[in-house]
Amino acid sequence: MKRGSLAAWLSESLGLEEVILPNGVKDKAEALEELKKIVFKCQKCELHKTRRNYVFGEGNPYAELMFVGEAPGGEEDKHGRPFVGRAGKLLTELLQSIGLEREEVYIANVLKCRPPRNRDPRPEEIKACSPYLDRQIKIIQPRLLVALGRFAAFFLLGRPVTLSRSRSIVYETRYGNKLIVTYHPAAVLRDPRKMDLVQQDFELIKKVLEE
Ligand code: URA
Ligand code: SF4
């Protein structure tokens, strides 16, 4: 996707006005439930035709730490929950390694429906779906966002990124919170040499949360 069109869809993405907040008008948990109802009716891209379940995201609506992945995979599609397959198990273990339980954080994806055979998200799908993630972030207002993989990093930084050069940096986002970019747990499962680097990134997450 070109830079010009990215800027256009990012500003377009702010136009989802059905859900009120973030101005303390409604409780965060309630606002997320309302947004979920909208997502569960969504037919904005082709992916709704092939998914089994929408995967809205889950966790603590008041979380200080929010993870953003790419899109549901097979297990997630089957259960309607994010990160419940092998990559999810690794994410849970990484969280536990820094003293956190899954229930304490919030976990969502750029896409809410599974791409067939887990192919990469397409630009038009990211464009259609990311306003939901945008709204989730605005409702939750986490202190720290963590992008898992390049599609999440692309959306949260607003530009294409090279993960090896973006990790171990604490960014400031357009939402006013901090952002750390790391490899997707599925990439670590494919290439265990990345494990050390991801562990370092989780130590950085812990450090930022303790600040
Ligand atoms: N990979 C993702 O990016 N998200 C999930 O929810 C599961 C696997
Ligand atoms: Fe709607 Fe997102 Fe599912 Fe596409 S992927 S149908 S935009 S919820």
Side-chain angles (χ1 to χ4, degrees):
M1 194 180 297
K2 287 193 229 80
R3 265 161 202 268
S5 61
L6 174 68
W9 72 257
L10 283 179
S11 64
E12 241 174 59
S13 82
L14 307 182
L16 224 208
E17 295 307 337
E18 306 95 294
V19 177
I20 316 126
L21 256 181
N23 288 323
V25 181
K26 289 198 174 177
D27 176 70
K28 292 184 182 189
E30 205 181 313
L32 287 172
E33 283 306 313
E34 281 190 40
L35 182 60
K36 191 195 269 189
K37 283 187 215 148
I38 294 171
V39 169
F40 278 23
K41 286 186 283 193
C42 182
Q43 304 194 346
K44 287 204 293 174
C45 81
E46 295 284 299
L47 295 180
H48 79 276
K49 294 184 186 161
T50 46
R51 55 137 191 104
R52 282 166 76 176
N53 285 295
Y54 291 102
V55 180
F56 177 72
E58 68 180 26
N60 176 5
Y62 311 94
E64 293 208 315
L65 175 60
M66 175 170 176
F67 288 86
V68 179
E70 180 177 315
E75 285 298 304
E76 291 76 21
D77 183 51
K78 192 162 142 196
H79 299 287
R81 296 179 56 204
F83 284 97
V84 289
R86 283 179 68 220
K89 188 163 174 284
L90 178 54
L91 176 61
T92 304
E93 286 165 7
L94 285 162
L95 276 169
Q96 285 170 345
S97 77
I98 56 163
L100 289 170
E101 293 299 329
R102 249 181 95 105
E103 297 70 33
E104 295 177 68
V105 306
Y106 198 88
I107 306 174
N109 286 306
V110 175
L111 297 187
K112 310 308 188 203
C113 301
R114 181 194 187 192
R117 296 175 305 283
N118 302 343
R119 64 156 170 75
D120 283 352
R122 293 181 176 149
E124 64 272 21
E125 292 157 0
I126 298 176
K127 182 176 170 183
C129 205
S130 57
Y132 299 131
L133 173 62
D134 176 84
R135 195 48 61 121
Q136 283 171 306
I137 295 168
K138 287 179 176 159
I139 292 170
I140 297 165
Q141 295 172 11
R143 205 148 65 77
L144 176 60
L145 276 163
V146 177
L148 300 171
R150 67 193 164 98
F151 287 96
F154 169 74
F155 176 73
L156 294 171
L157 282 171
R159 58 184 162 80
V161 297
T162 309
L163 284 183
S164 57
R165 275 190 268 129
S166 319
R167 52 168 296 278
S168 79
I169 299 170
V170 182
Y171 296 94
E172 187 71 41
T173 69
R174 61 185 179 283
Y175 299 101
N177 50 18
K178 290 181 174 162
L179 168 69
I180 292 172
V181 169
T182 189
Y183 291 108
H184 194 288
V188 180
L189 292 173
R190 282 193 300 271
D191 176 10
R193 286 170 304 179
K194 294 196 168 81
M195 188 62 181
D196 273 358
L197 301 175
V198 171
Q199 277 171 335
Q200 287 167 23
D201 293 338
F202 271 71
E203 286 303 321
L204 181 60
I205 293 169
K206 184 171 180 231
K207 185 165 157 269
V208 170
L209 288 175
E210 283 167 356
E211 277 169 6

